[in-house]
Amino acid sequence: MLETTELQIAAKRSLWGHFSRLSVQQRTEIPIITRGEGAWIYDQHGKRYLDGLSGLFVVQVGHGRPELAEAMAKQSNSLAYFPLWTFGHEPAIELADRLAKLAPGDLNRVFFTTGGSEAVESAWKLAVQYFRAIGQPGRHKVISRNLAYHGTTMGALAITGLPSIKNVFDPILPPAIKAATPYQYRCRDCAHLDRCTLRCADDIEDRILMEGPESVAAVFLEPMQNAGGGFVPPPGYFERAREICDQYGVLLISDEVICAFGRLGEWFGSQRYDYQPDMITFAKGVTSGYAPLGGVIVSDRIAGPFLENDDTSFMHGLTFGGHPVACAVALANLDLFDKLDVLENVRTNMATFDAALAPLNDLPIVGEIRGDGFFRAIELTPDKSTKALFDDAEGKRLLAGLVSPRMWELGLYCRADDRGEPVITLAPPLICGPEEFDFIGNVLHTVLTEASASLRG
Ligand code: PLP
């Protein structure tokens, strides 16, 4: 094992972190996380932090669970690897069966991947091949929303709606068509009203018509959209989206890479908002992060042409998709969800989370607090009364120069992000309760009071 200083030197020399500023990391200390326990993580100096983002919306049941480590060891000892290419193995079969039972409506069949971007790309490819198989070969385009994040590999990036992480790779082919985000706080149509007009949902129809319905395969929507700042769907949004998709024969794909597995208090986010998707993409929380796994859940309606025709197989596969060890730990993770009654914990404590954050509303820099379940975003503004926007430099200075380092100093790990307007995103492990929420509320109160003062100063 390398000592702390050696680890730091080796990290600077050899590690290329994701979305990390290599140049900055050469001259500043890279935080190195060494262990985790429940909702807390520890760094190389032994200092502890509340994991306010569940790693990356992943560690639903918390860190350091011996049951999950044991399930992985047991599976590694019996069958560490075999592909699902024409074969099956026990953990994948059992897990597919269990997910099919939990999934809403007629969704009953699972195609496994190793993560979320692959799940999104697999769903897109499946939609395209499905339409070819049923004699609608023109349908290949997809629609997604402004600001939405659906992954970073080239196909998933085409669906992602964040210019700041896409433009550097242009041209990305084939790009998804972007529809409006339900963002009432800054909506030109309904920010001044007490209710969303659902113009954002109707925008999906406008895009389909503009492209030509016969060319559109699918619409990708997150139940509650993470990127841009925790957008909860307004009442009626998904009912309208479903209606539009049905009217034009387009598939509705619910990207639940974050929102499944209890984040919103249900197994799936679509259950929380009561809509029936044609496909669900999932990843992250299915294993609580103890191993990488993702997938697409579909119905035999979509599998129909593949079930009926010996010459048609889905032309897609991944060496590690549905890895036996990952599937085994996913099964143990779902057992733990039942044992700890994780969904009920979220349902019971989401109001406690709201209450802990409520005092932040009195601070001048806090524009709006949005969210659901154990998933919140706090949008910051330089002027609450006018909902003014930060200019780029000011927003960056505030987040990178003050908010992020101060939260870290005070022992809170979460995300301060400026991919849309500056927001602080919170998604703590689903085992949290009043004590953890008080901690989060207190740290944020201190940091955002200082941030408010820095604006006036
Ligand atoms: N879809 C959504 C909604 C996500 O939030 C993410 C990642 O955060 C992805 C897809 C991509 O997942 P991954 O990073 O596992 O490729």
Side-chain angles (χ1 to χ4, degrees):
M1 278 280 254
L2 296 175
E3 292 302 320
T4 303
T5 319
E6 287 170 305
L7 258 182
Q8 193 61 228
I9 294 165
K12 286 180 168 27
R13 186 179 55 227
S14 314
L15 184 67
W16 197 326
H18 299 204
F19 284 111
S20 303
R21 290 170 212 253
L22 274 184
S23 63
V24 174
Q25 290 193 336
Q26 293 305 304
R27 53 178 196 272
T28 54
E29 186 177 89
I30 302 171
I32 299 172
I33 303 306
T34 52
R35 71 187 179 89
E37 206 179 301
W40 299 85
I41 49 170
Y42 294 79
D43 73 7
Q44 70 266 43
H45 307 295
K47 183 177 166 192
R48 82 172 192 159
Y49 305 82
L50 186 88
D51 183 356
L53 205 61
S54 303
L56 202 53
F57 311 95
V58 166
V59 192
Q60 317 293 70
V61 297
H63 299 271
R65 294 276 181 193
E67 313 78 327
L68 301 191
E70 279 153 25
M72 294 169 77
K74 192 165 164 223
Q75 184 58 43
S76 301
N77 278 321
S78 63
L79 178 71
Y81 177 71
F82 212 76
L84 291 177
W85 299 45
T86 74
F87 290 89
H89 52 67
E90 216 177 309
I93 297 166
E94 262 189 59
L95 181 61
D97 209 38
R98 190 136 165 205
L99 294 176
K101 288 191 178 103
L102 298 175
D106 61 355
L107 300 187
N108 66 323
R109 197 172 284 278
V110 185
F111 181 93
F112 287 113
T113 66
T114 64
S117 299
E118 284 175 0
V120 166
E121 294 197 16
S122 301
W124 188 356
K125 286 180 77 176
L126 182 54
V128 170
Q129 213 193 326
Y130 162 76
F131 280 119
R132 294 218 163 168
I134 63 164
Q136 299 184 35
R139 289 193 189 263
H140 58 89
K141 296 179 189 166
V142 294
I143 293 175
S144 58
R145 292 184 297 207
N146 281 330
L147 298 175
Y149 184 95
H150 294 283
T152 52
T153 52
M154 280 297 203
L157 191 61
I159 303 180
T160 286
L162 290 159
S164 62
I165 66 167
K166 289 169 71 104
N167 292 354
V168 65
F169 301 106
D170 273 344
I172 298 168
L173 290 171
I177 295 103
K178 301 298 178 303
T181 302
Y183 188 178
Q184 192 180 5
Y185 183 67
R186 295 196 180 279
C187 180
R188 287 193 198 109
D189 281 324
C190 66
H192 57 293
L193 305 175
D194 59 0
R195 210 182 147 83
C196 169
T197 58
L198 293 187
R199 181 69 205 89
C200 45
D202 289 337
D203 197 39
I204 298 171
E205 181 176 36
D206 291 350
R207 304 288 149 180
I208 293 176
L209 290 172
M210 212 181 297
E211 293 301 314
E214 66 295 338
S215 73
V216 181
V219 176
F220 279 79
L221 303 171
E222 273 181 279
M224 172 180 152
Q225 183 176 313
N226 171 45
F231 302 114
V232 178
Y237 179 87
F238 275 106
E239 206 180 325
R240 181 78 188 109
R242 180 71 268 178
E243 202 175 85
I244 294 166
C245 288
D246 288 344
Q247 186 176 349
Y248 297 102
V250 170
L251 300 179
L252 171 52
I253 302 180
S254 190
D255 184 356
E256 308 209 6
V257 166
I258 291 180
C259 291
F261 305 106
R263 181 55 57 201
L264 303 178
E266 302 289 340
W267 286 112
F268 293 96
S270 39
Q271 292 163 330
R272 172 78 177 144
Y273 301 126
D274 201 20
Y275 63 96
Q276 180 60 46
D278 296 302
M279 297 189 208
I280 288 179
T281 51
F282 67 92
K284 297 190 186 265
V286 65
T287 61
S288 281
Y290 285 70
L293 184 68
V296 188
I297 317 180
V298 299
S299 69
D300 279 352
R301 237 176 339 112
I302 304 295
F306 304 87
L307 286 166
E308 286 154 17
N309 188 343
D310 287 359
D311 296 327
T312 308
S313 49
F314 182 27
M315 285 299 170
H316 186 56
L318 302 152
T319 300
F320 289 127
H323 191 283
V325 177
C327 291
V329 77
L331 285 164
N333 181 46
L334 298 181
D335 287 344
L336 206 49
F337 262 72
D338 288 340
K339 187 170 148 198
L340 304 173
D341 213 349
V342 167
L343 300 187
E344 190 50 38
N345 187 56
V346 175
R347 291 178 197 139
T348 312
N349 278 304
M350 61 175 106
T352 320
F353 198 3
D354 281 330
L357 299 181
L360 303 177
N361 278 314
D362 297 335
L363 300 174
I365 200 171
V366 172
E368 187 175 56
I369 304 177
R370 298 184 284 267
D372 197 3
F374 277 16
F375 192 6
R376 293 287 182 289
I378 303 167
E379 180 166 337
L380 307 180
T381 168
D383 186 339
K384 204 181 181 101
S385 58
T386 60
K387 301 184 187 176
L389 300 172
F390 284 101
D391 70 39
D392 263 9
E394 204 182 2
K396 279 196 172 34
R397 180 196 62 77
L398 182 81
L399 294 187
L402 195 156
V403 175
S404 290
R406 279 297 280 150
M407 292 192 301
W408 187 246
E409 257 170 48
L410 296 174
L412 175 62
Y413 162 67
C414 65
R415 179 189 271 178
D417 195 31
D418 63 351
R419 285 170 179 169
E421 294 314 309
V423 287
I424 297 173
T425 302
L426 296 159
L430 308 183
I431 49 162
C432 286
E435 195 185 320
E436 289 82 12
F437 292 135
D438 280 350
F439 181 86
I440 292 173
N442 289 336
V443 169
L444 289 179
H445 202 275
T446 305
V447 174
L448 295 177
T449 303
E450 291 170 14
S452 301
S454 89
L455 291 182
R456 288 197 300 273

